[in-house]
Amino acid sequence: VFPDPDRVIRFGDAVQADVSISNLGAASVKVGIAIAAYDAEGNLVGVASGGSNWMPIKPDRRSYYSVKFTDVNNRMDEAATFRITLETK
């Protein structure tokens, strides 16, 4: 999972990060993604979560997700670093 800084986009009040996840394993998996954004001083400025709700990612396949920062995003333009958590379901 790589949040490309150029792929964090603001559309009016909505902010989203476009991420891709590759399944390098032998079995299909569903995933959950959480992204926390921090400013240069380490203060939390945005949070988002998402994942595969319907279809799992098949082996040797990649899925793309647009993860939206819907409720905590007023200071996203100050984001300097991102922390991502990925878990399989």
Side-chain angles (χ1 to χ4, degrees):
V1 179
F2 294 101
D4 183 346
D6 295 331
R7 298 300 305 156
V8 176
I9 305 166
R10 181 181 291 273
F11 294 104
D13 290 337
V15 179
Q16 72 182 40
D18 294 334
V19 298
S20 66
I21 299 173
S22 297
N23 180 357
L24 303 177
S28 296
V29 294
K30 289 187 177 183
V31 297
I33 308 163
I35 303 174
Y38 299 88
D39 65 13
E41 289 78 40
N43 298 307
L44 183 66
V45 296
V47 294
S49 64
S52 50
N53 294 325
W54 300 101
M55 298 292 292
I57 305 171
K58 294 180 180 178
D60 296 317
R61 295 285 179 89
R62 178 181 294 174
S63 290
Y64 299 89
Y65 302 93
S66 292
V67 184
K68 296 184 179 11
F69 292 80
T70 55
D71 296 319
V72 180
N73 68 15
N74 282 344
R75 296 177 43 221
M76 278 298 294
D77 53 344
E78 300 174 27
T81 59
F82 298 88
R83 179 163 292 179
I84 300 172
T85 299
L86 175 70
E87 60 182 51
T88 58
K89 302 178 183 182

Coordinates of all heavy atoms in Angstrom, one line a residue:
V1 N 0.9 -1.2 0.0 CA 0.0 0.0 0.0 C 0.9 1.2 0.0 O 1.7 1.4 0.9 CB -0.9 0.0 1.3 CG1 -1.8 1.3 1.3 CG2 -1.7 -1.2 1.3
F2 N 0.7 2.1 -1.0 CA 1.5 3.3 -1.0 C 0.6 4.5 -1.2 O -0.1 4.6 -2.3 CB 2.5 3.2 -2.2 CG 3.5 2.2 -2.0 CD1 3.5 1.0 -2.6 CD2 4.6 2.4 -1.2 CE1 4.4 0.0 -2.5 CE2 5.6 1.5 -1.0 CZ 5.5 0.3 -1.6
P3 N 0.5 5.4 -0.3 CA -0.3 6.6 -0.5 C 0.6 7.6 -1.2 O 1.5 8.2 -0.6 CB -0.7 7.1 0.9 CG 0.4 6.6 1.7 CD 0.9 5.3 1.1
D4 N 0.4 7.7 -2.5 CA 1.2 8.7 -3.3 C 0.7 10.1 -2.9 O -0.4 10.4 -3.0 CB 1.0 8.4 -4.8 CG 1.8 9.3 -5.7 OD1 2.3 10.3 -5.2 OD2 1.8 8.9 -6.9
P5 N 1.6 10.9 -2.4 CA 1.2 12.3 -2.0 C 0.5 13.0 -3.1 O -0.4 13.9 -2.8 CB 2.5 13.0 -1.6 CG 3.4 11.9 -1.2 CD 3.0 10.7 -2.1
D6 N 0.8 12.7 -4.3 CA 0.1 13.4 -5.5 C -1.3 12.8 -5.7 O -2.0 13.4 -6.5 CB 0.9 13.2 -6.7 CG 2.3 13.9 -6.7 OD1 2.4 14.9 -6.0 OD2 3.2 13.4 -7.4
R7 N -1.6 11.7 -5.0 CA -2.9 11.1 -5.2 C -3.9 11.4 -4.0 O -4.9 10.8 -3.9 CB -2.8 9.6 -5.3 CG -2.0 9.2 -6.5 CD -2.6 9.6 -7.8 NE -4.0 9.2 -8.0 CZ -4.8 9.8 -8.8 NH1 -4.5 10.9 -9.5 NH2 -6.1 9.4 -8.8
V8 N -3.5 12.4 -3.1 CA -4.4 12.8 -2.1 C -5.0 14.1 -2.6 O -4.4 15.1 -2.9 CB -3.7 13.1 -0.7 CG1 -4.6 13.7 0.3 CG2 -3.0 11.9 -0.2
I9 N -6.3 14.0 -2.9 CA -7.0 15.0 -3.7 C -8.2 15.6 -2.9 O -8.9 14.9 -2.1 CB -7.6 14.3 -4.9 CG1 -6.5 13.6 -5.7 CG2 -8.4 15.3 -5.8 CD1 -7.0 12.6 -6.8
R10 N -8.4 16.9 -3.0 CA -9.5 17.6 -2.3 C -10.5 18.0 -3.4 O -10.1 18.6 -4.4 CB -9.0 18.8 -1.5 CG -10.2 19.5 -0.8 CD -9.7 20.7 -0.1 NE -8.9 20.4 1.1 CZ -9.4 20.1 2.3 NH1 -10.7 20.1 2.5 NH2 -8.6 19.8 3.3
F11 N -11.8 17.6 -3.2 CA -12.9 18.0 -4.1 C -13.8 18.7 -3.2 O -14.6 18.1 -2.5 CB -13.6 16.8 -4.7 CG -12.7 16.0 -5.7 CD1 -12.2 14.8 -5.4 CD2 -12.4 16.6 -7.0 CE1 -11.4 14.1 -6.3 CE2 -11.7 15.9 -7.9 CZ -11.1 14.6 -7.5
G12 N -13.8 20.0 -3.2 CA -14.6 20.8 -2.3 C -14.2 20.5 -0.8 O -13.1 20.6 -0.4
D13 N -15.1 20.0 -0.1 CA -14.9 19.5 1.3 C -14.4 18.1 1.4 O -14.0 17.7 2.5 CB -16.1 19.7 2.2 CG -16.5 21.2 2.4 OD1 -15.5 22.0 2.3 OD2 -17.6 21.5 2.7
A14 N -14.5 17.3 0.3 CA -14.1 15.9 0.4 C -12.7 15.8 0.0 O -12.2 16.3 -1.0 CB -15.0 15.1 -0.6
V15 N -12.0 15.0 0.8 CA -10.6 14.6 0.5 C -10.5 13.1 0.4 O -11.1 12.4 1.1 CB -9.7 15.1 1.7 CG1 -8.2 14.7 1.4 CG2 -9.8 16.6 1.9
Q16 N -9.7 12.6 -0.6 CA -9.6 11.2 -0.7 C -8.1 10.9 -1.1 O -7.4 11.7 -1.6 CB -10.5 10.7 -1.8 CG -10.1 11.0 -3.2 CD -11.1 10.5 -4.2 OE1 -12.3 10.5 -4.0 NE2 -10.6 10.1 -5.4
A17 N -7.7 9.6 -0.7 CA -6.5 9.1 -1.1 C -6.7 7.9 -2.0 O -7.5 7.0 -1.6 CB -5.7 8.7 0.1
D18 N -6.1 7.8 -3.1 CA -6.2 6.7 -4.0 C -5.1 5.7 -3.7 O -3.9 6.1 -3.8 CB -6.1 7.1 -5.5 CG -7.3 8.0 -5.8 OD1 -8.4 7.8 -5.2 OD2 -7.2 8.8 -6.8
V19 N -5.4 4.5 -3.3 CA -4.4 3.5 -3.0 C -4.6 2.2 -3.8 O -5.7 1.9 -4.2 CB -4.4 3.1 -1.5 CG1 -4.1 4.4 -0.6 CG2 -5.8 2.6 -1.0
S20 N -3.6 1.4 -4.0 CA -3.7 0.1 -4.6 C -3.1 -0.9 -3.6 O -2.1 -0.7 -2.9 CB -3.0 0.1 -5.9 OG -1.6 0.2 -5.8
I21 N -3.7 -2.1 -3.7 CA -3.3 -3.2 -2.8 C -3.1 -4.4 -3.7 O -4.1 -4.8 -4.4 CB -4.3 -3.5 -1.7 CG1 -4.4 -2.2 -0.8 CG2 -3.9 -4.7 -0.9 CD1 -5.5 -2.3 0.2
S22 N -2.0 -5.1 -3.6 CA -1.7 -6.3 -4.4 C -1.8 -7.5 -3.4 O -1.3 -7.4 -2.3 CB -0.3 -6.2 -5.0 OG -0.2 -5.2 -5.9
N23 N -2.4 -8.5 -3.9 CA -2.5 -9.8 -3.2 C -1.4 -10.7 -3.7 O -1.5 -11.3 -4.8 CB -3.9 -10.4 -3.3 CG -3.9 -11.7 -2.5 OD1 -3.0 -12.2 -1.9 ND2 -5.1 -12.3 -2.6
L24 N -0.3 -10.8 -2.9 CA 0.8 -11.7 -3.4 C 0.7 -13.1 -2.8 O 1.6 -13.9 -3.0 CB 2.1 -11.0 -2.9 CG 2.4 -9.6 -3.5 CD1 3.7 -9.1 -3.0 CD2 2.3 -9.6 -5.0
G25 N -0.4 -13.4 -2.1 CA -0.6 -14.7 -1.4 C -1.3 -15.7 -2.3 O -1.5 -15.4 -3.5
A26 N -1.6 -16.8 -1.8 CA -2.2 -17.9 -2.6 C -3.7 -18.0 -2.4 O -4.3 -18.7 -3.2 CB -1.6 -19.3 -2.1
A27 N -4.2 -17.2 -1.5 CA -5.7 -17.3 -1.2 C -6.3 -15.9 -1.4 O -5.6 -14.9 -1.2 CB -6.0 -17.8 0.2
S28 N -7.6 -15.9 -1.8 CA -8.3 -14.6 -1.9 C -8.5 -14.0 -0.5 O -8.6 -14.7 0.5 CB -9.7 -14.8 -2.5 OG -9.6 -15.2 -3.8
V29 N -8.4 -12.7 -0.4 CA -8.5 -12.0 0.9 C -9.3 -10.7 0.8 O -9.3 -10.1 -0.3 CB -7.1 -11.6 1.5 CG1 -6.4 -12.8 1.9 CG2 -6.3 -10.7 0.6
K30 N -10.1 -10.4 1.8 CA -10.7 -9.1 2.0 C -9.8 -8.3 2.9 O -9.1 -8.8 3.7 CB -12.1 -9.2 2.6 CG -13.1 -9.8 1.7 CD -14.5 -9.7 2.3 CE -15.5 -10.2 1.3 NZ -16.9 -10.1 1.9
V31 N -9.7 -6.9 2.7 CA -8.8 -6.1 3.4 C -9.6 -4.9 4.0 O -10.6 -4.5 3.5 CB -7.7 -5.6 2.5 CG1 -6.8 -6.7 2.0 CG2 -8.2 -4.7 1.4
G32 N -9.0 -4.4 5.1 CA -9.5 -3.2 5.7 C -8.3 -2.2 5.7 O -7.1 -2.6 6.0
I33 N -8.5 -0.9 5.4 CA -7.5 0.1 5.3 C -7.8 1.2 6.2 O -9.0 1.7 6.2 CB -7.4 0.6 3.9 CG1 -7.3 -0.4 2.8 CG2 -6.2 1.7 3.8 CD1 -7.6 0.0 1.4
A34 N -6.8 1.7 7.0 CA -7.0 2.9 7.8 C -5.8 3.8 7.5 O -4.7 3.3 7.5 CB -7.1 2.6 9.3
I35 N -6.1 5.1 7.3 CA -5.0 6.0 7.0 C -5.1 7.2 8.0 O -6.2 7.8 8.1 CB -5.1 6.6 5.5 CG1 -5.0 5.4 4.5 CG2 -4.0 7.6 5.3 CD1 -5.3 5.9 3.1
A36 N -4.0 7.5 8.6 CA -4.0 8.7 9.5 C -3.0 9.7 8.9 O -1.9 9.2 8.5 CB -3.5 8.3 10.9
A37 N -3.3 10.9 8.8 CA -2.4 12.0 8.3 C -2.0 12.9 9.4 O -2.8 13.3 10.2 CB -3.2 12.7 7.2
Y38 N -0.7 13.2 9.4 CA -0.1 14.1 10.4 C 0.6 15.3 9.8 O 1.1 15.2 8.7 CB 0.9 13.3 11.2 CG 0.4 12.1 11.9 CD1 0.3 10.8 11.3 CD2 -0.1 12.2 13.2 CE1 -0.3 9.7 11.9 CE2 -0.7 11.1 13.9 CZ -0.7 9.9 13.2 OH -1.3 8.8 13.8
D39 N 0.6 16.4 10.5 CA 1.3 17.6 10.0 C 2.8 17.4 10.4 O 3.2 16.4 11.0 CB 0.7 18.9 10.6 CG 0.8 19.0 12.1 OD1 1.6 18.3 12.8 OD2 0.2 19.9 12.6
A40 N 3.6 18.4 10.1 CA 5.0 18.3 10.3 C 5.4 18.2 11.8 O 6.5 17.7 12.1 CB 5.7 19.6 9.7
E41 N 4.5 18.6 12.7 CA 4.8 18.5 14.1 C 4.3 17.2 14.7 O 4.4 17.0 15.9 CB 4.2 19.7 14.8 CG 4.9 21.1 14.6 CD 4.5 21.7 13.3 OE1 3.3 21.6 12.9 OE2 5.4 22.2 12.6
G42 N 3.7 16.4 13.9 CA 3.2 15.1 14.4 C 1.7 15.2 14.9 O 1.3 14.2 15.5
N43 N 1.0 16.3 14.6 CA -0.4 16.4 15.0 C -1.3 15.7 14.0 O -1.1 15.9 12.8 CB -0.8 17.8 15.2 CG 0.0 18.5 16.2 OD1 0.1 18.1 17.4 ND2 0.6 19.7 15.9
L44 N -2.3 15.0 14.5 CA -3.2 14.3 13.6 C -4.1 15.4 12.9 O -4.7 16.2 13.5 CB -4.1 13.4 14.4 CG -5.1 12.6 13.7 CD1 -4.4 11.5 12.7 CD2 -6.1 11.8 14.6
V45 N -4.1 15.3 11.5 CA -4.9 16.3 10.8 C -6.0 15.6 9.9 O -6.8 16.3 9.4 CB -4.0 17.2 9.9 CG1 -3.1 18.0 10.8 CG2 -3.2 16.4 8.9
G46 N -6.0 14.3 9.8 CA -7.0 13.7 9.0 C -7.0 12.1 9.2 O -6.0 11.6 9.5
V47 N -8.2 11.5 9.1 CA -8.3 10.1 9.2 C -9.3 9.6 8.2 O -10.2 10.3 7.8 CB -8.8 9.6 10.6 CG1 -7.7 9.9 11.7 CG2 -10.1 10.2 11.0
A48 N -9.0 8.4 7.7 CA -9.9 7.8 6.7 C -9.8 6.2 6.8 O -8.9 5.7 7.3 CB -9.5 8.2 5.3
S49 N -10.9 5.6 6.4 CA -10.8 4.1 6.4 C -11.7 3.6 5.3 O -12.6 4.3 4.8 CB -11.3 3.5 7.7 OG -12.7 3.9 8.0
G50 N -11.4 2.3 4.9 CA -12.2 1.7 3.8 C -11.7 0.3 3.6 O -11.1 -0.3 4.5
G51 N -12.0 -0.3 2.5 CA -11.5 -1.6 2.2 C -12.5 -2.4 1.3 O -13.3 -1.8 0.6
S52 N -12.3 -3.7 1.2 CA -13.1 -4.5 0.3 C -14.3 -5.0 1.1 O -14.2 -5.9 1.9 CB -12.2 -5.7 -0.2 OG -11.6 -6.4 0.8
N53 N -15.4 -4.4 0.7 CA -16.7 -4.8 1.4 C -17.3 -6.0 0.7 O -18.0 -6.8 1.4 CB -17.6 -3.6 1.4 CG -17.1 -2.5 2.3 OD1 -16.5 -2.7 3.3 ND2 -17.4 -1.2 1.9
W54 N -17.2 -6.1 -0.6 CA -18.0 -7.1 -1.3 C -17.1 -8.2 -1.8 O -17.4 -9.4 -1.6 CB -18.7 -6.5 -2.5 CG -19.7 -5.4 -2.0 CD1 -19.5 -4.1 -2.1 CD2 -21.0 -5.6 -1.4 NE1 -20.6 -3.4 -1.5 CE2 -21.5 -4.3 -1.1 CE3 -21.7 -6.7 -1.1 CZ2 -22.7 -4.2 -0.6 CZ3 -22.9 -6.6 -0.5 CH2 -23.5 -5.3 -0.3
M55 N -16.1 -7.9 -2.6 CA -15.3 -8.9 -3.3 C -13.9 -8.9 -2.7 O -13.3 -7.9 -2.5 CB -15.2 -8.6 -4.8 CG -16.6 -8.5 -5.5 SD -17.3 -10.2 -5.6 CE -16.2 -11.0 -6.7
P56 N -13.4 -10.1 -2.5 CA -12.0 -10.3 -2.0 C -11.1 -10.0 -3.2 O -11.5 -10.0 -4.3 CB -11.9 -11.7 -1.5 CG -13.0 -12.4 -2.3 CD -14.1 -11.4 -2.5
I57 N -9.8 -9.8 -2.8 CA -8.8 -9.6 -3.8 C -8.3 -11.0 -4.1 O -7.8 -11.7 -3.2 CB -7.6 -8.7 -3.4 CG1 -8.2 -7.4 -2.9 CG2 -6.6 -8.5 -4.5 CD1 -7.2 -6.5 -2.2
K58 N -8.3 -11.4 -5.4 CA -7.8 -12.8 -5.8 C -6.3 -12.8 -5.8 O -5.6 -11.8 -5.9 CB -8.4 -13.1 -7.1 CG -9.9 -13.3 -7.2 CD -10.4 -13.6 -8.6 CE -11.9 -13.8 -8.5 NZ -12.4 -14.1 -9.9
P59 N -5.7 -14.0 -5.6 CA -4.3 -14.1 -5.7 C -3.7 -13.5 -7.0 O -4.3 -13.6 -8.0 CB -4.0 -15.7 -5.6 CG -5.3 -16.2 -5.0 CD -6.4 -15.3 -5.4
D60 N -2.5 -12.9 -6.8 CA -1.8 -12.3 -7.9 C -2.6 -11.2 -8.6 O -2.4 -11.0 -9.8 CB -1.4 -13.3 -8.9 CG -0.4 -14.3 -8.3 OD1 0.5 -13.8 -7.6 OD2 -0.5 -15.5 -8.6
R61 N -3.5 -10.6 -7.9 CA -4.3 -9.5 -8.4 C -4.1 -8.2 -7.6 O -3.7 -8.3 -6.5 CB -5.8 -9.8 -8.5 CG -6.2 -11.0 -9.4 CD -6.2 -10.5 -10.8 NE -6.6 -11.5 -11.7 CZ -7.8 -11.8 -12.1 NH1 -8.8 -11.2 -11.6 NH2 -8.0 -12.8 -13.0
R62 N -4.5 -7.1 -8.2 CA -4.4 -5.8 -7.5 C -5.8 -5.1 -7.5 O -6.5 -5.2 -8.5 CB -3.4 -4.9 -8.2 CG -3.3 -3.5 -7.6 CD -2.3 -2.7 -8.4 NE -1.0 -3.3 -8.2 CZ 0.1 -2.9 -8.8 NH1 0.0 -1.9 -9.7 NH2 1.3 -3.5 -8.6
S63 N -6.1 -4.5 -6.4 CA -7.4 -3.7 -6.3 C -7.0 -2.3 -6.0 O -6.1 -2.0 -5.3 CB -8.3 -4.3 -5.3 OG -8.8 -5.5 -5.7
Y64 N -7.9 -1.4 -6.5 CA -7.7 0.0 -6.2 C -8.9 0.6 -5.4 O -10.0 0.1 -5.6 CB -7.7 0.8 -7.6 CG -6.5 0.3 -8.5 CD1 -6.7 -0.7 -9.3 CD2 -5.3 1.0 -8.4 CE1 -5.6 -1.1 -10.1 CE2 -4.2 0.5 -9.2 CZ -4.4 -0.5 -10.1 OH -3.4 -0.9 -10.8
Y65 N -8.5 1.4 -4.5 CA -9.5 2.0 -3.6 C -9.4 3.5 -3.5 O -8.2 4.0 -3.5 CB -9.4 1.4 -2.1 CG -9.5 -0.1 -2.1 CD1 -8.4 -0.9 -2.2 CD2 -10.8 -0.7 -2.0 CE1 -8.5 -2.3 -2.2 CE2 -10.9 -2.1 -2.0 CZ -9.8 -2.8 -2.1 OH -9.9 -4.2 -2.1
S66 N -10.5 4.2 -3.4 CA -10.5 5.7 -3.1 C -11.0 5.8 -1.7 O -12.1 5.5 -1.4 CB -11.4 6.4 -4.0 OG -10.8 6.4 -5.3
V67 N -10.1 6.1 -0.7 CA -10.4 6.2 0.7 C -10.7 7.6 1.0 O -9.8 8.5 0.8 CB -9.2 5.6 1.5 CG1 -9.6 5.6 3.0 CG2 -8.9 4.2 1.1
K68 N -11.8 7.9 1.5 CA -12.3 9.3 1.8 C -12.0 9.7 3.2 O -12.4 9.0 4.1 CB -13.7 9.5 1.4 CG -13.9 9.2 -0.1 CD -15.3 9.5 -0.6 CE -15.6 9.3 -2.0 NZ -14.6 8.7 -2.9
F69 N -11.5 10.9 3.3 CA -11.3 11.6 4.6 C -12.6 12.4 4.8 O -12.6 13.6 4.5 CB -10.1 12.5 4.6 CG -8.8 11.8 4.5 CD1 -8.3 11.3 3.3 CD2 -8.0 11.6 5.7 CE1 -7.1 10.6 3.3 CE2 -6.8 10.9 5.6 CZ -6.4 10.4 4.4
T70 N -13.7 11.8 5.3 CA -15.0 12.5 5.3 C -15.2 13.4 6.5 O -15.8 14.5 6.4 CB -16.1 11.5 5.2 OG1 -16.0 10.5 6.2 CG2 -16.1 10.8 3.9
D71 N -14.9 13.0 7.7 CA -15.2 13.7 8.9 C -14.1 14.5 9.6 O -14.4 15.5 10.2 CB -15.8 12.7 10.0 CG -17.1 12.1 9.5 OD1 -17.9 12.8 8.9 OD2 -17.2 10.9 9.7
V72 N -12.9 14.1 9.4 CA -11.8 14.8 10.0 C -10.8 15.1 8.9 O -10.0 14.3 8.4 CB -11.0 13.9 11.1 CG1 -9.8 14.6 11.7 CG2 -11.9 13.4 12.2
N73 N -11.0 16.4 8.4 CA -10.2 16.7 7.2 C -9.9 18.2 7.0 O -9.4 18.6 6.0 CB -10.8 16.2 5.9 CG -12.1 16.8 5.6 OD1 -12.5 17.9 6.1 ND2 -12.9 16.2 4.7
N74 N -10.3 19.1 8.0 CA -10.2 20.5 7.8 C -8.7 20.9 7.6 O -8.5 21.9 6.9 CB -10.7 21.3 9.0 CG -12.2 21.3 9.0 OD1 -12.8 21.1 8.0 ND2 -12.8 21.6 10.1
R75 N -7.8 20.2 8.1 CA -6.4 20.6 8.0 C -5.5 19.7 7.1 O -4.3 19.6 7.2 CB -5.7 20.7 9.4 CG -6.4 21.8 10.3 CD -5.9 21.9 11.7 NE -4.4 21.8 11.7 CZ -3.8 21.1 12.7 NH1 -4.4 20.4 13.6 NH2 -2.4 21.0 12.7
M76 N -6.2 19.0 6.2 CA -5.5 18.0 5.4 C -4.4 18.7 4.5 O -3.5 18.0 4.1 CB -6.5 17.2 4.5 CG -7.1 16.1 5.2 SD -6.0 14.8 5.8 CE -5.4 14.2 4.2
D77 N -4.6 19.9 4.1 CA -3.6 20.6 3.3 C -2.3 20.8 4.1 O -1.3 21.1 3.5 CB -4.1 21.9 2.8 CG -4.6 22.9 3.9 OD1 -4.9 22.4 5.0 OD2 -4.8 24.1 3.6
E78 N -2.3 20.5 5.4 CA -1.1 20.6 6.2 C -0.4 19.2 6.4 O 0.6 19.1 7.0 CB -1.4 21.2 7.6 CG -2.0 22.6 7.6 CD -2.4 23.0 8.9 OE1 -1.9 22.6 10.0 OE2 -3.3 23.9 9.0
A79 N -1.0 18.2 5.8 CA -0.5 16.8 6.0 C 0.9 16.7 5.4 O 1.2 17.1 4.3 CB -1.4 15.8 5.3
A80 N 1.8 16.1 6.3 CA 3.2 16.0 5.9 C 3.6 14.5 5.8 O 4.4 14.1 5.0 CB 4.1 16.7 6.8
T81 N 2.9 13.7 6.7 CA 3.2 12.2 6.7 C 1.9 11.5 6.8 O 0.9 12.0 7.3 CB 4.2 11.8 7.8 OG1 3.6 12.2 9.1 CG2 5.5 12.5 7.7
F82 N 1.9 10.2 6.4 CA 0.8 9.3 6.5 C 1.2 8.0 7.2 O 2.3 7.5 7.0 CB 0.3 9.0 5.1 CG -0.2 10.1 4.4 CD1 0.7 10.9 3.6 CD2 -1.5 10.5 4.4 CE1 0.2 12.0 2.9 CE2 -2.0 11.6 3.7 CZ -1.1 12.3 2.9
R83 N 0.3 7.5 8.0 CA 0.5 6.2 8.6 C -0.7 5.3 8.2 O -1.8 5.7 8.3 CB 0.5 6.3 10.1 CG 0.7 4.9 10.8 CD 1.1 4.9 12.2 NE 2.4 5.5 12.2 CZ 3.1 5.7 13.3 NH1 2.6 5.4 14.5 NH2 4.3 6.2 13.3
I84 N -0.3 4.1 7.6 CA -1.4 3.3 7.0 C -1.4 1.9 7.8 O -0.3 1.4 8.1 CB -1.1 3.0 5.6 CG1 -1.0 4.3 4.8 CG2 -2.1 2.0 5.0 CD1 -0.6 4.1 3.4
T85 N -2.6 1.5 8.1 CA -2.8 0.2 8.7 C -3.6 -0.6 7.7 O -4.6 -0.2 7.2 CB -3.5 0.3 10.1 OG1 -2.7 1.1 11.0 CG2 -3.7 -1.1 10.7
L86 N -3.1 -1.9 7.5 CA -3.8 -2.8 6.6 C -4.0 -4.1 7.3 O -3.1 -4.6 7.9 CB -3.0 -3.0 5.3 CG -3.5 -4.0 4.3 CD1 -4.8 -3.5 3.6 CD2 -2.4 -4.4 3.3
E87 N -5.3 -4.5 7.3 CA -5.5 -5.8 7.9 C -6.4 -6.7 7.0 O -7.2 -6.2 6.2 CB -6.2 -5.7 9.3 CG -7.5 -5.0 9.3 CD -8.1 -4.9 10.7 OE1 -7.4 -4.4 11.6 OE2 -9.3 -5.3 10.9
T88 N -6.1 -8.0 7.0 CA -6.9 -8.9 6.2 C -8.1 -9.4 7.1 O -8.0 -9.5 8.3 CB -6.1 -10.1 5.8 OG1 -5.5 -10.8 6.9 CG2 -5.0 -9.6 4.9
K89 N -9.2 -9.7 6.4 CA -10.4 -10.2 7.0 C -10.7 -11.6 6.6 O -10.3 -12.1 5.6 CB -11.6 -9.3 6.6 CG -11.4 -7.9 6.9 CD -12.6 -7.1 6.4 CE -12.4 -5.6 6.6 NZ -13.6 -4.9 6.2

